[in-house]
Amino acid sequence: MKKKSLFDIAMEQKNRKKLEDENVVVTKKNSKILIAIEIIGKILKVIFYIVICILLTIGTTVLANSELREQLMNIVNLNL
């Protein structure tokens, strides 16, 4: 097998670099509607997590405090 000369190696590298430079990169263009939907989705997620945290806090407080537990039971019984 014939050894490659420095010139051949340099030409291969040059050709490889040309091919890499000619490659086309396709990027996804987001429309304004998609961006708005993503923002609204993120806001709704944050609101959902805040509501869950508030409900968990209220629930643990009611379970820990007997007076609040009785008041909650009275409120539930009145609505039924």
Side-chain angles (χ1 to χ4, degrees):
M1 192 167 172
K2 182 181 171 187
K3 285 188 176 181
K4 291 184 181 179
S5 67
L6 288 176
F7 178 76
D8 292 334
I9 294 172
M11 291 306 292
E12 284 179 5
Q13 288 177 352
K14 184 179 177 183
N15 290 338
R16 208 174 307 136
K17 188 173 181 181
K18 272 187 182 178
L19 289 174
E20 289 175 3
D21 290 341
E22 291 174 359
N23 288 344
V24 177
V25 177
V26 178
T27 58
K28 182 180 175 186
K29 186 176 181 182
N30 288 338
S31 67
K32 293 178 182 179
I33 295 172
L34 290 176
I35 294 171
I37 290 173
E38 286 181 22
I39 291 172
I40 290 171
K42 289 179 182 179
I43 290 172
L44 289 176
K45 277 185 183 178
V46 169
I47 291 172
F48 176 75
Y49 289 132
I50 290 172
V51 168
I52 293 295
C53 290
I54 290 171
L55 291 175
L56 286 173
T57 304
I58 292 171
T60 54
T61 303
V62 168
L63 289 175
N65 192 342
S66 62
E67 292 176 19
L68 288 175
R69 185 173 44 241
E70 290 173 12
Q71 289 178 3
L72 180 67
M73 292 305 280
N74 290 335
I75 292 171
V76 171
N77 288 333
L78 290 176
N79 290 335
L80 295 175

